[in-house]
Amino acid sequence: MDNKRELFQIMTRRFGLLNKNCCTIGGCDISPIQSHILYEVDRQHKPSMQQIANTLGTDITTFSRQIQALIKMNLLNKTPDPSDRRVYTLSLTPEGKYVATTIDKQMNDYLDEAFSYMSLADQEMVLRSIHLLNEAMAKSDKCCRPIMG
Amino acid sequence: MDNKRELFQIMTRRFGLLNKNCCTIGGCDISPIQSHILYEVDRQHKPSMQQIANTLGTDITTFSRQIQALIKMNLLNKTPDPSDRRVYTLSLTPEGKYVATTIDKQMNDYLDEAFSYMSLADQEMVLRSIHLLNEAMAKSDKCCRPIMG
DNA sequence: TTCAATTAATTGTACTTTGCAAGTATTAGG
DNA sequence: CCTAATACTTGCAAAGTACAATTAATTGAA
């Protein structure tokens, strides 16, 4: 129980695999990165491209091309911000919303299944723990930041 | 507290970023995947290539090339298995061991820093929780498996 | 007001990563 | 033996990545 890194390494590997294998909806294959993008666009209110790219820690040039791909797949809208014409705000198309919702549901189903192997009390504890962990990591400035020095 | 996926999405993103930014030792840059490989080779006893590739869920062809890169960087040894000449077993060179140990230390330092924002009781709880979670995911057959249907 | 500095986003280019298909070599099983 | 299965490698093409440079718009200080 002493080596934190071991615990986290294995946990994050499992979720990486989960992300990898959870993203074929209808005809289209969604890569993990694209899934993350859809997720964040759904969560944030009319985000700009920079905003999402920073959140996800991707280079803006790579991000720009990912956005182009998602627009071509008809999952995303890019609209010029009237108050600052350098900025484009992102939003989900109805199809994009559907895909995002479906992925969300799939992920939750998978997680529910995994959680079913724990007692209710443990389930509670685990969720509370991850919540605490996320808060702690948000406070940290050396570790786990969207943008690192 | 209801949406599991949200909690996990954010947590895993942070650790993804941590992995991304934690791997420059001495002269050489280690990619997250390579760091995972070194970690697993260190952990398992004289593993074969297939073994590690399966553990990490990477295609064996991609994996083969990653191994070549790590050998070129002098971090890994690939020795033929005398009992089955199709098989190669992997082991760390002294340099590889050093790199693996250093990454481990860095990761633990980062995690310790994040944990320092929690009470000792919470730290305990979080570690216990992740442990439970890993066990639950290992039991699951739909979710989070090294190899998925 | 004006113009240099900053910011948001895109494009050119080059490099890396990835995985399928195909191939080699070895072992296992009928 | 000889077919099937396994471990690993290489060819190739597609996708992802990021640095450098560019465009366009905004900010701010002289």
Side-chain angles (χ1 to χ4, degrees), chain A residues 98-123:
Chain A
Y98 171 73
V99 168
T101 307
T102 306
I103 293 175
D104 211 59
K105 190 171 161 0
Q106 278 182 20
M107 295 281 283
N108 273 312
D109 286 351
Y110 283 133
L111 291 171
D112 282 341
E113 203 256 345
F115 269 62
S116 73
Y117 294 95
M118 295 185 282
S119 72
L120 279 178
D122 282 350
Q123 293 184 29

Side-chain angles (χ1 to χ4, degrees), chain A residues 134-148:
Chain A
N134 280 342
E135 281 182 336
M137 288 192 292
K139 281 179 197 153
S140 165
D141 56 337
K142 285 201 329 211
C143 159
C144 325
R145 267 305 183 71
I147 306 170
M148 320 233 334

Side-chain angles (χ1 to χ4, degrees), chain A residues 73-114:
Chain A
M73 295 161 83
N74 200 29
L75 302 176
L76 219 58
N77 290 317
K78 200 178 78 174
T79 42
D81 182 337
S83 74
D84 184 340
R85 284 191 297 170
R86 291 170 303 180
V87 175
Y88 290 85
T89 57
L90 301 172
S91 58
L92 298 180
T93 63
E95 289 89 341
K97 182 74 185 174
Y98 171 73
V99 168
T101 307
T102 306
I103 293 175
D104 211 59
K105 190 171 161 0
Q106 278 182 20
M107 295 281 283
N108 273 312
D109 286 351
Y110 283 133
L111 291 171
D112 282 341
E113 203 256 345

Side-chain angles (χ1 to χ4, degrees), chain B residues 48-50 61 64-65 68 78 86-88:
Chain B
S48 75
M49 293 183 58
Q50 273 296 348
T61 67
S64 174
R65 280 182 257 253
Q68 288 169 26
K78 200 178 78 173
R86 291 170 302 180
V87 176
Y88 290 85

